[in-house]
Amino acid sequence: MEPAPGPQEKYHPTTRNLQEVLGEDKLMAILKERELKIYWGTATTGKPHVAYFVPMSKIADFLKAGCEVTILFADLHAYLDNMKAPWELLELRTHYYENVIKAMLESIGVPLEKLKFVRGTDYQLSKEYTLDVYRLSSVVTQHDAKKAGAEVVKQVEHPLLSGLLYPGLQALDEEYLKVDAQFGGVDQRKIFTFAEKYLPSLGYAKRVHLMNPMVPGLTGSKMSSSEEDSKIDLLDRKEDVKKKLKKAFCEPGNVENNGVLSFIKHVLFPLKSEFVVLREEKWGGNKTYTAYEALEKDFAEQVVHPGDLKNSVEVALNKLLDPIREKFNSPELKQLTNAAYPNPSKAKPAEKGTKNSEPENVVPSRLDIRVGKVISVEKHPDADSLYVEKIDVGEPEPRTVVSGLVQFVPKEQLQDRLVVLLCNLKPQKMRGVESQGMVLCASSVGEPRQVEPLDPPAGCCAGERVYVEGYEGGEPDDELKPKKKVFEKLQADFRVSEDCVAQWKQRNFLTKLGRVSCKSLKGGSIS
């Protein structure tokens, strides 16, 4: 009979691959006495995607270390976070999360009987918890509450009071779930330090906090439910997985912000303790890596090609997704998925025999608007007023775009500039050159006419999604049908605000880094 693992043997799997641990001494002291009690919470908002395998893999580590693990489906938090989950969908989305998270855990071999599953509303509406919310609100400053939620709660121009309550509830969860530690991404750090500061003021113990690094998405930025191209959905078809991985940022030799490498490091390696790069014999054949560092070194030295890396991840990822797809292929779970995440871009079809169908749902999420980087600008060979630009929008090849900006924007001001591009218009020829998008610009109302390209926030990457506030979750149309005039109907309500922010019906155009704006054309139109 093998001796029981000691505190150090438990400490290693508990903390491996973490970015930071707050309270290491306390963690070690607990491990010397008994098993660690830890919880991980997830707000039931957008659909979970493959980045959720990162905390799932870490939960597997906790179980190997003997920890008692609770998973919290934070349904009330989902509503408080600027109503990311509308109240009428809250129950459905929580049910969806329960099913999909359990399917993920089963796909990586985690025994569900060793886990405890809890919904926030199971205890957060109790008299005792509600009283503690009031007690906490009497000692927490507005400044501290806003600061704590800055990395997690959706930031808007006029924040709701609900977003200020969010960090306090998360802090109280540690006490009401009776745990020693909370686990989350490093983006939760401000909430964790908030909890350490304020829980003792209510007479409750300070907890240990364990933090995962944030895994880059496929575009090189944070993987996000609201940025379609940055993530692979758990129910994506194999052909969609291939398509998204093919477009993923994976520059030869570049190991920074490389979502493909990060997924291998934080998911595939911990699960299998090895990774196989699949290659044709003429390129050296398959190679098995038993240490992630060796794979990263070979990629940095360009011994491993990005194409081989992506193909290998595709095979491994589909093995994880296959049992989830199979489970969600049941009529019951298909119905749940459609009910929890209704597609706002699809109008309800008319019933047979009725003449008047319901009006088509014309909403901004139907537009595929992205950040683009202008790679080259040339005068159109047959039109003096037109530029022909090559614009990178995060796809394998840049798009060719024809713009009537010659008399408004000097060529040198467009070169290497970040712009905002409408990407799902039907391609059309303009004086013999096919244009594959439209650069969105602000225009002055009076004469002489002035035009300024819209500016994404500084730091954006080519391919990042641009969306209208409140319409983050919808799927854009593959291609806008000219006869439907969807863009034209929406564009009629595009305006520039008095502080030069691009808006639709007074809702801001946003990327995950902030607001889209123009330089000076207050009150202008956008086209």
Side-chain angles (χ1 to χ4, degrees):
M1 183 175 174
E2 290 186 13
Q8 197 60 50
E9 286 78 18
K10 293 177 184 178
Y11 183 86
H12 172 68
T14 300
T15 60
R16 74 167 173 170
N17 282 339
L18 294 178
Q19 181 164 322
E20 188 176 4
V21 177
L22 298 177
E24 286 185 86
D25 292 344
K26 185 171 184 177
L27 172 61
M28 184 57 78
I30 293 169
L31 292 176
K32 287 177 180 177
E33 293 182 7
R34 56 176 172 80
E35 308 298 1
L36 184 73
K37 297 177 181 178
I38 188 167
Y39 99 88
W40 172 74
T42 179
T44 54
T45 53
K47 282 185 182 178
H49 44 73
V50 296
Y52 278 63
F53 275 117
V54 178
M56 298 303 104
S57 174
K58 195 65 217 160
I59 286 168
D61 277 349
F62 294 148
L63 291 175
K64 287 173 189 171
C67 299
E68 297 177 20
V69 182
T70 297
I71 291 180
L72 171 66
F73 297 110
D75 47 358
L76 197 54
H77 285 80
Y79 181 70
L80 291 175
D81 188 0
N82 277 280
M83 294 180 290
K84 281 186 180 177
W87 192 261
E88 62 273 13
L89 294 179
L90 206 58
E91 173 71 23
L92 290 165
R93 290 196 176 173
T94 304
H95 190 32
Y96 178 87
Y97 263 69
E98 288 177 354
N99 278 279
V100 85
I101 294 293
K102 287 177 181 178
M104 291 180 77
L105 289 163
E106 287 172 330
S107 83
I108 62 173
V110 173
L112 298 185
E113 63 272 14
K114 291 190 175 182
L115 295 163
K116 181 180 179 183
F117 297 94
V118 178
R119 288 189 182 197
T121 48
D122 289 345
Y123 63 90
Q124 289 168 346
L125 301 177
S126 69
K127 177 182 175 181
E128 295 77 16
Y129 189 94
T130 303
L131 181 58
D132 270 345
V133 171
Y134 287 131
R135 289 175 63 207
L136 195 60
S137 67
S138 72
V139 294
V140 172
T141 66
Q142 179 187 357
H143 171 271
D144 282 2
K146 187 175 181 180
K147 179 183 175 184
E151 300 295 325
V152 177
V153 178
K154 179 185 165 191
Q155 300 300 297
V156 294
E157 192 169 0
H158 302 291
L160 300 173
L161 178 60
S162 59
L164 298 177
L165 294 174
Y166 190 111
L169 268 67
Q170 188 168 335
L172 288 173
D173 290 341
E174 297 179 348
E175 174 64 25
Y176 278 78
L177 292 171
K178 302 301 177 189
V179 294
D180 307 305
Q182 184 179 173
F183 163 61
V186 74
D187 60 338
Q188 305 266 342
R189 192 182 195 281
K190 289 177 181 175
I191 291 182
F192 291 167
T193 55
F194 172 94
E196 292 187 7
K197 176 179 179 180
Y198 282 107
L199 277 188
S201 70
L202 300 187
Y204 299 142
K206 185 189 295 188
R207 266 62 178 190
V208 176
H209 294 102
L210 311 175
M211 284 167 273
N212 253 350
M214 298 308 295
V215 175
L218 301 180
T219 57
S221 54
K222 175 185 171 182
M223 199 174 287
S224 166
S225 294
S226 62
E227 189 185 346
E228 189 60 31
D229 281 344
S230 82
K231 50 96 176 181
I232 293 172
D233 191 274
L234 295 167
L235 303 181
D236 274 350
R237 300 169 303 167
K238 289 187 177 182
E239 52 266 41
D240 294 325
V241 173
K242 180 184 286 290
K243 181 180 174 183
K244 289 181 179 180
L245 278 171
K246 189 175 181 180
K247 290 165 61 175
F249 175 80
C250 191
E251 191 176 53
N254 187 349
V255 300
E256 299 296 324
N257 293 323
N258 188 322
V260 181
L261 273 177
S262 291
F263 189 76
I264 296 170
K265 178 179 181 179
H266 292 285
V267 177
L268 300 178
F269 251 106
L271 292 177
K272 300 289 185 183
S273 299
E274 66 176 31
F275 182 73
V276 181
V277 174
L278 306 172
R279 296 186 292 203
E280 295 181 29
E281 287 298 328
K282 64 180 179 180
W283 303 118
N286 296 351
K287 183 170 181 180
T288 300
Y289 290 88
T290 55
Y292 170 77
E293 292 73 20
L295 171 62
E296 186 180 275
K297 181 173 181 289
D298 277 1
F299 186 83
E301 294 174 358
Q302 300 191 34
V303 174
V304 174
H305 188 273
D308 293 328
L309 194 71
K310 289 180 180 182
N311 290 339
S312 306
V313 168
E314 180 190 340
V315 171
L317 179 54
N318 277 318
K319 285 181 181 177
L320 294 178
L321 296 180
D322 278 341
I324 302 172
R325 294 182 186 118
E326 185 177 351
K327 180 175 180 177
F328 273 77
N329 203 31
S330 71
E332 181 189 358
L333 289 182
K334 278 184 178 179
Q335 185 178 1
L336 172 63
T337 304
N338 293 331
Y341 297 94
N343 190 341
S345 70
K346 290 184 178 179
K348 185 178 179 181
E351 293 181 15
K352 288 183 179 179
T354 60
K355 290 183 178 180
N356 298 318
S357 62
E358 291 187 12
E360 189 173 22
N361 197 6
V362 179
V363 290
S365 53
R366 295 182 64 178
L367 305 180
D368 181 6
I369 307 176
R370 302 184 219 167
V371 175
K373 182 174 182 179
V374 180
I375 297 172
S376 67
V377 189
E378 301 294 340
K379 283 276 193 76
H380 192 296
D382 298 318
D384 291 341
S385 63
L386 301 178
Y387 284 131
V388 178
E389 303 123 0
K390 294 287 186 183
I391 301 181
D392 177 8
V393 288
E395 296 171 340
E397 298 294 330
R399 292 195 179 204
T400 300
V401 177
V402 180
S403 303
L405 296 174
V406 170
Q407 57 185 312
F408 302 107
V409 185
K411 179 179 172 181
E412 57 272 16
Q413 288 185 17
L414 278 177
Q415 181 67 46
D416 298 323
R417 177 180 184 145
L418 289 180
V419 293
V420 176
L421 195 74
L422 178 60
C423 294
N424 59 342
L425 289 173
K426 183 178 180 180
Q428 60 175 333
K429 286 196 174 181
M430 298 179 69
R431 301 292 293 271
V433 177
E434 185 175 78
S435 182
Q436 300 168 323
M438 175 193 290
V439 177
L440 295 182
C441 298
S443 300
S444 61
V445 177
E447 297 294 337
R449 189 179 177 217
Q450 295 175 273
V451 176
E452 296 173 357
L454 295 183
D455 293 315
C460 283
C461 298
E464 283 185 33
R465 188 178 175 200
V466 177
Y467 53 88
V468 171
E469 187 177 339
Y471 291 87
E472 298 90 329
E475 297 280 342
D477 291 12
D478 290 335
E479 183 178 281
L480 298 172
K481 306 301 180 188
K483 288 184 179 179
K484 299 284 187 180
K485 297 194 178 298
V486 173
F487 172 68
E488 289 80 359
K489 292 173 184 175
L490 291 165
Q491 188 259 337
D493 292 303
F494 286 2
R495 291 288 182 274
V496 179
S497 71
E498 289 305 307
D499 50 356
C500 290
V501 177
Q503 296 183 331
W504 174 80
K505 292 187 175 181
Q506 298 184 316
R507 292 173 178 258
N508 294 335
F509 281 56
L510 301 169
T511 74
K512 65 178 183 300
L513 293 182
R515 302 182 297 183
V516 173
S517 60
C518 70
K519 187 176 179 182
S520 63
L521 300 181
K522 299 177 181 179
S525 61
I526 298 172
S527 57

